[in-house]
Amino acid sequence: MSAYHALSTLAENGIYNVRYALLLLTLRHAKLDRRIDMDEMSKLCFTTKSGLSKLFDAACIDGYANRVRDKHDHRFITASLTPKGIAFVRSLEAA
């Protein structure tokens, strides 16, 4: 898949730079068997926590991601990808 095709695939799915970065960071942390919290992700995406929350809400609504509450501290929320989100990011990584 060419870079142009990858970018047009992102656009066709309503996913742009920061939103793709959010999905990619979530997948990469999962590969390391490590969840990423919203505060850390907002810093890595160079956006505010409230801005990231809106982007992440859209990813959840679209079926790409989920919010996961920590079993020991319910105030702590981490990000995870759904099978749809994992398949989507992997298809673009192969490009």
Side-chain angles (χ1 to χ4, degrees), residues 54-93:
K54 290 175 187 175
L55 290 167
F56 199 78
D57 286 345
C60 291
I61 289 168
D62 292 343
Y64 292 108
N66 289 314
R67 292 177 188 267
V68 180
R69 290 202 181 269
D70 186 271
K71 293 177 184 177
H72 304 289
D73 184 351
H74 291 284
R75 296 170 297 171
F76 190 72
I77 298 172
T78 58
S80 71
L81 292 184
T82 63
K84 177 182 176 180
I86 292 169
F88 184 71
V89 172
R90 285 190 177 149
S91 73
L92 293 172
E93 284 185 319

Side-chain angles (χ1 to χ4, degrees), residues 16-87:
Y16 300 94
N17 294 338
V18 175
R19 194 164 170 204
Y20 176 65
L22 174 146
L23 296 174
L24 186 60
L25 283 169
T26 304
L27 180 64
R28 294 225 168 127
H29 277 73
K31 286 180 180 177
L32 298 172
D33 199 27
R34 182 174 172 274
R35 297 208 172 187
I36 184 168
D37 66 70
M38 298 299 171
D39 185 48
E40 182 180 0
M41 190 179 297
S42 69
K43 291 173 185 167
L44 292 171
C45 289
F46 301 101
T47 188
T48 63
K49 284 190 268 185
S50 64
L52 180 81
S53 184
K54 290 175 187 175
L55 290 167
F56 199 78
D57 286 345
C60 291
I61 289 168
D62 292 343
Y64 292 108
N66 289 314
R67 292 177 188 267
V68 180
R69 290 202 181 269
D70 186 271
K71 293 177 184 177
H72 304 289
D73 184 351
H74 291 284
R75 296 170 297 171
F76 190 72
I77 298 172
T78 58
S80 71
L81 292 184
T82 63
K84 177 182 176 180
I86 292 169

